[in-house]
Amino acid sequence: MAVLPIRISGDPVLHAPASPVEEIDDTLRALVADMFETMDAAPGVGLAGPQVGVPLRVFTFGWTDEDDVAWRGVAINPELWLSPAVPGAPDPDTESEGCLSFPGERFPLRRAERVVLRATDLDGERYEIEAEGWLARIFQHEYDHLDGVLYMDRLGDRDQRIVGKITKKLDWGKPGRSWTPGVDDIEA
């Protein structure tokens, strides 16, 4: 297993839809193991294939909820069903999220409170998880990556301008930019 470099916003693989996984084989299993190691080293609660330069519809997740229930798994070729998001401005204290492909920053974003994730695991078995709260947010965030959408793309105008300034200041927004957890001095 290895910690992989995480692509930074602007790399083309992050801004294009990912392709379906055609076969669950040892190559995919090794990728998923590396994705878990990378996600944990970052540290993060989710990581999508495109974030490590692999344009496949696969993501990992790992989070412990307020009831101390650990959620950890892989979603291969996922489908995501969303409840409608409540209208209004997001609460910066409870609805802010970050992204390993835009490390060190957090912005408030309104998301659906409940989702249903249907996906395949590494054994080729289909499963379904009904999620709410932060787990629902994690699934939406990672699923967006598979469609070439970063959470910053969903922000309002004011926050979009801040993202633009940060991108310019840090010389991001270009192909080939990445960081490696445990190697590069970036706080995710």
Side-chain angles (χ1 to χ4, degrees):
M1 294 190 306
V3 173
L4 304 172
I6 298 173
R7 304 295 173 94
I8 292 176
S9 177
D11 195 290
V13 72
L14 294 171
H15 303 283
S19 299
V21 171
E22 297 293 332
E23 181 180 5
I24 298 173
D25 57 13
D26 288 341
T27 301
L28 182 68
R29 287 183 186 87
L31 170 66
V32 168
D34 290 346
M35 287 173 64
F36 274 118
E37 188 165 336
T38 303
M39 178 184 77
D40 293 342
V45 294
L47 187 68
Q51 291 182 276
V52 294
V54 180
L56 291 176
R57 296 189 74 78
V58 58
F59 70 78
T60 57
F61 58 93
W63 178 70
T64 301
D65 67 21
E66 56 277 348
D67 295 325
D68 214 29
V69 175
W71 296 91
R72 190 166 176 90
V74 60
I76 301 168
N77 296 331
E79 300 170 3
L80 193 65
W81 304 93
L82 308 146
S83 66
V86 175
D91 181 332
D93 293 327
T94 61
E95 295 180 283
S96 288
E97 63 186 74
C99 181
L100 296 177
S101 290
F102 201 79
E105 303 299 329
R106 295 182 67 77
F107 293 94
L109 178 63
R110 178 64 42 103
R111 296 258 192 199
E113 180 61 26
R114 286 186 281 289
V115 302
V116 175
L117 173 72
R118 293 184 184 128
T120 301
D121 66 18
L122 281 176
D123 294 323
E125 299 295 323
R126 293 289 291 169
Y127 68 88
E128 179 176 299
I129 297 173
E130 293 182 29
E132 59 183 49
W134 272 102
L135 187 58
R137 179 176 294 274
I138 293 165
F139 289 164
Q140 291 169 79
H141 183 107
E142 299 311 323
Y143 189 86
D144 272 354
H145 276 298
L146 305 182
D147 287 338
V149 176
L150 277 72
Y151 89 107
M152 298 91 64
D153 299 332
R154 296 189 179 280
L155 298 175
D157 291 340
R158 180 184 158 279
D159 289 335
Q160 285 277 350
R161 286 191 296 276
I162 295 169
V163 166
K165 288 177 184 179
I166 293 167
T167 299
K168 185 175 181 178
K169 178 183 176 184
L170 296 175
D171 199 31
W172 291 351
K174 300 174 182 172
R177 301 285 196 258
S178 67
W179 71 284
T180 304
V183 175
D184 297 311
D185 190 23
I186 293 180
E187 292 288 325

